Amino acid sequence: MVSSFFEILPDKNLGRIEHRIACVVLVVLSAAVAALVIHSAWTGSLTALLLRSLFFSMMTSAGLLIIAANRKAVWARTLLYLLAAAVLVPGPYLYTNYMDIVFSGGIASTTHVALFVVSVVAALVLARFSIGWVMVGLGTFALAYAFWGNFIPGTYGHAGYSIYRVTSNLFLRTEGLFGLPMGVAAQYILLFSLLGAMLLKTGLGQVFVDLAHAMTGRIQGGPALTAVVSSTMFSSINGSAVAGVVTTGTFTIPLMKRTGYRPKVAAAIEAAASSAGQIMPPVMGAAAFLMAEITQTPYATIAAAALIPALLYVFALLVGVRLEAGKFNLARSDGADIPALREVIFKRGYMLLPLIALIGFLVYGYTPAKAAVLCLISGVLISFISKDTRLTPAKLVEVLVETVRNVMPVIAAVAVAGMLIGVLTLTGMALKVSAMILDMGGSSLFLVLILTMIASFILGLGMPTSAAYLLLAILIAPALESFGLPVIAAHMFIFYYGLLSAITPPVALAAYAGASIAGSDPNETAVEAMRLGFVKVVAPFLFVYAPELLLIGSPAGITLATYAAFLGVFAAGTAMTGWLGRALTLTERGVFAVIAGLCTLSLVVDQLTAVSLGAQAAATVLLLFTIWRLRSTYENRPANLAS
């Protein structure tokens, strides 16, 4: 146990004593922040500013320690250690002096300014090493704009603010550094990341893979279907597309290649499937909780609204990989490699109980935070059923540190996003960005959607799920809301396009991770991932024009819209693949494209109107007729050709 304890940080750059001290401090900070979050989730006894500032101090300090352990230069590690120690001060200081700050009306003193500067520097350094220069640039630009906006002429300038005024707004109140983004991180993100890390440490990830393989392995294209199902389940808990690829992909990608999938297609399937977890309830990369807080919508409503588009995306992947297998007549998996479904369920099915319990607690009426705490407790207890899944003290330490490591980029992102929100609120710039989009788009909703799509894609490049959504919710969403769109539709629109970069060049981190495992060309892999994940591109437009896909509307409208969406996705996937029982002619592919077009038409007009119903009816009749013709031509072929 002692040896594993000191493996939580690499020791290649550190001396023995330095390494051991760093490991001990990191474990203490990880345990302390977990205890803080769990205690607050269950009791709710801390006020927002105190919880968020304590959380920020401990998480940022732990993150800087992790970064320092990977630095070779002694001077760099020394500076990071000093900064990690300094950033531990603001949280406890605000905790002990909270009443004085309240009675003073939040007027900043020199001490407050010094602590604010330390917090900002620590947040920017953490962002630099955990995310990249984009968030550092945004944070620096926001502060510079607050201080020197008076030098900008015209609409986008302002009077300028002193360091004391900025400190008062961004540090002593819940409108900046310790604003809503940090609150969501402290209340939900770390808690659910801890839950996910704990469940995966018990071996739940392998259970997902084995369950999926048992259900789909014997079908042609089974390994790819396994990848879609298992990666969706895994990443829905983990929330990271890249983590899903490098975890389940090490099993599924070689398996797909062995049965005949081209390397770039195998990697693309895994990348597209791992991206599904970002949009799949209940966690959605923690964005579900952010969206609930920002839009002031119940979490259950957000999760329910996200379900149909997410299932539509997974359905498109399943259709694509199955047709791909038929098109290239790929081999089936060796039966000896496929576990028996009954065996998986009876031997390790109990590991799914915490997830079932989580859903049960949420349905029963517990808040997401309390439901997560109860699920954590049940997960620890259930792990003791078998010695293979038992969470020993060493494993719990690994879970705590892994959670901090996973959440570290999110903390950097929400800290910078909080500063950005504070500055935009202070200066009134948030409304001006939305106004600029509206000015360019005029009165055309479609043009505004196109501009919003482009802006969301650019701003979301390479960003973690929650960070991308936060930034877009601040800058872009108000433009869509001003058109009278349902709030959930507006926020889901920017959310989807902010995440598109996971499989889209020039960043395409999930696709590139899959390409490194498959040994394929990264850009070709990204193109294939885009083809398979085309629903992520078109779905946002569909649910803006047909909010029934977000469960907004009458039961009849929701049912018909869902039917049209799934029918259209099947037709579009078939047209792109060019195979359905046999290779399709160009005319036949054109017919499926027409069916997809009719379904799209039925969605972009008002539901339950003559045009919508007529388009759906025509699409249905045309599909049935086409499938009948295909079956007839296939069955009437000579035996030697049919084989």
Side-chain angles (χ1 to χ4, degrees), residues 77-271:
R77 293 204 306 275
T78 302
L79 289 177
L80 287 167
Y81 290 148
L82 291 173
L83 188 57
V87 81
L88 277 175
V89 176
Y93 175 86
L94 291 177
Y95 184 86
T96 56
N97 294 274
Y98 178 67
M99 294 310 300
D100 292 337
I101 294 169
V102 171
F103 289 136
S104 69
I107 299 174
S109 66
T110 304
T111 301
H112 299 148
V113 170
L115 293 176
F116 173 61
V117 170
V118 167
S119 300
V120 168
V121 172
L124 293 178
V125 170
L126 188 66
R128 159 64 185 90
F129 289 104
S130 60
I131 302 176
W133 285 107
V134 174
M135 289 303 285
V136 177
L138 284 172
T140 305
F141 176 79
L143 292 172
Y145 180 70
F147 294 137
W148 300 297
N150 55 310
F151 292 103
I152 300 176
T155 305
Y156 299 105
H158 59 82
Y161 297 95
S162 68
I163 183 69
Y164 289 92
R165 177 68 183 279
V166 172
T167 299
S168 178
N169 275 70
L170 270 62
F171 185 70
L172 299 180
R173 301 175 186 174
T174 54
E175 297 174 0
L177 193 62
F178 308 129
L180 178 62
M182 190 65 67
V184 173
Q187 290 175 272
Y188 301 115
I189 295 178
L190 185 128
L191 196 57
F192 277 86
S193 295
L194 178 63
L195 175 61
M198 185 200 72
L199 293 177
L200 294 175
K201 182 61 69 175
T202 65
L204 183 61
Q206 188 59 46
V207 174
F208 284 156
V209 173
D210 289 345
L211 278 174
H213 199 32
M215 290 187 292
T216 62
R218 290 174 175 79
I219 305 171
Q220 188 178 39
L225 298 174
T226 298
V228 172
V229 176
S230 62
S231 296
T232 298
M233 291 190 292
F234 178 89
S235 57
S236 68
I237 299 298
N238 183 275
S240 168
V242 176
V245 171
V246 299
T247 303
T248 59
T250 55
F251 169 80
T252 59
I253 290 176
L255 191 61
M256 285 187 277
K257 289 173 65 178
R258 282 204 303 270
T259 54
Y261 280 95
R262 294 166 291 168
K264 66 178 182 180
V265 175
I269 290 169
E270 179 59 46

Side-chain angles (χ1 to χ4, degrees), residues 14 119 122 160 217 223 252 375-376 457 568:
L14 311 179
S119 300
T252 59
C375 193
L376 276 169
F457 175 72

Side-chain angles (χ1 to χ4, degrees), residues 349-397:
Y350 67 88
M351 295 169 65
L352 297 170
L353 290 176
L355 292 180
I356 298 171
L358 175 63
I359 297 171
F361 291 138
L362 290 171
V363 171
Y364 189 73
Y366 283 97
T367 64
K370 284 192 174 182
V373 173
L374 290 171
C375 193
L376 276 169
I377 296 170
S378 63
V380 172
L381 295 176
I382 289 170
S383 74
F384 282 89
I385 291 177
S386 168
K387 65 178 183 179
D388 295 328
T389 62
R390 190 173 301 144
L391 286 170
T392 63
K395 286 184 177 180
L396 285 173
V397 167

Side-chain angles (χ1 to χ4, degrees), residues 30-83:
S30 301
V33 77
L36 172 71
V37 168
I38 292 172
H39 176 268
S40 175
W42 190 254
T43 65
S45 57
L46 282 177
T47 60
L49 181 64
L50 301 184
L51 170 63
R52 297 170 189 180
S53 60
L54 287 170
F55 175 78
F56 167 79
S57 284
M58 288 190 285
M59 278 297 303
T60 305
S61 182
L64 292 172
L65 270 181
I66 293 171
I67 293 169
N70 292 289
R71 301 296 103 192
K72 290 183 178 180
V74 175
W75 66 267
R77 293 204 306 275
T78 302
L79 289 177
L80 287 167
Y81 290 148
L82 291 173
L83 188 57

Side-chain angles (χ1 to χ4, degrees), residues 595 598 612-624:
I595 294 170
L598 287 170
S612 177
L613 294 174
Q616 288 185 26
T620 302
V621 171
L622 189 56
L623 177 68
L624 293 175

